[in-house]
Every structure is written in structure tokens, then in C-alpha cells.
Amino acid sequence: MLKAKKKFTKRELKEDKFFEVTFQAKNFIEQNARTILYAAGAVLALSVMIYFYMGSQQAEEQNALDQFARAQEQVRNGQREVGMQMMIDVVEQFDGTTAAGHAAFFLGKLFWEDKDLQTAKKYFKKYIDDYSDKNLMTQSALAGYGDCLLYEKNYAEAAKYFEKAGKIDPDFPAATDYLYTAALVYQEAGNLEKARELAQKIVDESSNVDLKNRSEVLLKSLEL
């Protein structure tokens, strides 16, 4: 006579399922131990590589900052050419670092002061394209690049950069000055619609009384 099948309790069924899964996992590990060890080793190697990469990146950042600081010191001490060459080295050797961005900006400014506008343009553009953010250096770099274009009589492009400098943050110093300059340069470029737009913006929004008055005069001249 056949015995009646045993009825398992829920707890026994759960434990049985647990052991089944554990057994399957044990078999899998035994059968694939070499593969798992290789995978674990690869993960460990990757972790080590990332650790050393991050360390090397930090070291590179620090080296770039140290060299940039020395370059600034040379400029302050009257060794302008030496300092500028050191900044050029920072830009070329440590591309992508914060210090390289700062060096590019200051090279633009220094070459602009030396009236070497082609080289100033190069470094202002380098900063704008690769390192800029919504900060004062970006505002100044945009205006500096616009000024170089202005000297070339490239009024249409110059106006765009002055406008960007003025709009990057209305609370930044000189924001309204750059907008007013942009309006004047747009007028020179023959884009009277943009000139009116920016002049009206200053009249409506600026707290700078002098520039508001100048913008009102500009608006009247644009109506003639």
C-alpha cells in the first residue's frame, strides 16, 4: 500500500526552496570558479587602475597649479615674458586642468595688453571654448574676444560677444556696460533692430542711471 504523500508546511517549502537555490548557486560556483576568479580579478584591477588614475589626475592638477602660480609670480615681479612662456607651457602641457584654463584666460589678457590681438584672440577663444562657465572670467574673456574683433572691424561678430558678456549674468559687474557696447557695435554693423532691442532692455531694466540716459539718447538716434 502506497504511503500518502507528505504535505509540506509553508515554512518547509520555503526552506526547501532556499536549499535548492543555494545548491544551484554552489554548483554554479564550482563549475565556473575560474571564470568568477578572473572576473573578480578584472574588477579588482579596474578598481586599482581607477584609484591610480584619480591619483595621477590630482597630481597633474597640483603640478599645473604650482606652475601657474610661479608664472603669475614672474609676471608680478616684472619678468613678464618669462611668466607668459610658463603660462603657455601650462596650457600646452596640462590641457584640461583648471590651471590651464586660468592660464589661457590670463594669456589672452596679457597679450591684449601688449596689443598682440591675434594671439590674445587665440587664448581668449581657448578659454571660452574649453573652460568657460558662468563666471566673471568668462564674462571678461567674451568681452576681450569681442574687443579683438572690434579692432579688426568685424562689428557683427564683435557685437555678439559683447552681448553674451552682458547677458551671462545681469548681476555681474560691467554687465550693463557690455550690453550698451553691444548696442553701439550692432548700430555700427547696421543691425539697428538688435541695437534698439538692447538699448531698450537697458532703459527698462538697468539701475545704472548714466547708461539708461545714454541708451535713451541712442534709441532716439536710431529713430532718425
Side-chain angles (χ1 to χ4, degrees):
M1 183 176 178
L2 293 173
K3 290 184 179 179
K5 288 184 179 179
K6 178 183 176 182
K7 291 185 177 179
F8 293 99
T9 64
K10 288 183 179 180
R11 180 178 178 181
E12 287 173 325
L13 285 170
K14 190 178 292 184
E15 288 176 350
D16 187 58
K17 186 67 176 175
F18 169 77
F19 285 119
E20 180 187 341
V21 172
T22 303
F23 179 74
Q24 290 174 352
K26 179 175 177 292
N27 281 348
F28 176 82
I29 290 170
E30 288 174 351
Q31 293 169 14
N32 299 276
R34 183 169 292 183
T35 303
I36 291 170
L37 286 173
Y38 281 145
V43 170
L44 178 61
L46 181 61
S47 298
V48 171
M49 287 171 63
I50 290 172
Y51 173 80
F52 281 109
Y53 174 75
M54 294 298 291
S56 67
Q57 286 290 97
Q58 290 174 352
E60 186 175 86
E61 283 279 357
Q62 190 58 56
N63 287 339
L65 285 170
D66 290 344
Q67 186 161 322
F68 176 62
R70 290 195 295 271
Q72 285 186 304
E73 189 67 24
Q74 291 287 345
V75 173
R76 282 195 294 268
N77 290 339
Q79 300 297 315
R80 189 182 183 90
E81 290 186 8
V82 174
M84 289 171 72
Q85 183 56 55
M86 289 175 69
M87 289 185 190
I88 291 171
D89 292 341
V90 171
V91 172
E92 293 177 352
Q93 295 174 18
F94 301 99
D95 192 27
T97 63
T98 301
H102 289 173
F105 171 80
F106 278 99
L107 282 168
K109 177 178 178 292
L110 292 168
F111 279 113
W112 178 84
E113 290 173 355
D114 291 345
K115 305 299 182 187
D116 184 348
L117 300 183
Q118 283 301 314
T119 311
K121 269 179 64 181
K122 170 187 170 182
Y123 285 106
F124 278 138
K125 197 68 165 61
K126 173 74 174 172
Y127 179 81
I128 291 165
D129 289 347
D130 297 345
Y131 299 100
S132 65
D133 198 356
K134 292 183 178 180
N135 55 35
L136 288 171
M137 285 176 67
T138 300
Q139 184 190 44
S140 297
L142 288 166
Y145 190 78
D147 197 60
C148 293
L149 292 170
L150 192 58
Y151 273 95
E152 295 174 354
K153 300 187 185 303
N154 188 347
Y155 300 121
E157 283 300 305
K160 291 177 185 177
Y161 279 90
F162 281 115
E163 182 180 2
K164 288 177 184 177
K167 286 184 173 179
I168 192 169
D169 190 324
D171 294 328
F172 278 173
T176 307
D177 297 79
Y178 291 144
L179 284 181
Y180 179 71
T181 302
L184 292 175
V185 181
Y186 273 125
Q187 181 188 30
E188 191 68 27
N191 192 340
L192 304 187
E193 183 179 348
K194 282 295 293 185
R196 275 192 290 268
E197 176 192 319
L198 295 182
Q200 190 64 58
K201 181 179 177 65
I202 295 169
V203 170
D204 294 341
E205 300 175 10
S206 178
S207 58
N208 187 317
V209 176
D210 179 53
L211 287 177
K212 281 173 75 88
N213 292 337
R214 291 188 187 188
S215 296
E216 287 175 348
V217 172
L218 177 58
L219 281 171
K220 288 178 182 178
S221 72
L222 291 168
E223 293 170 359
L224 299 176

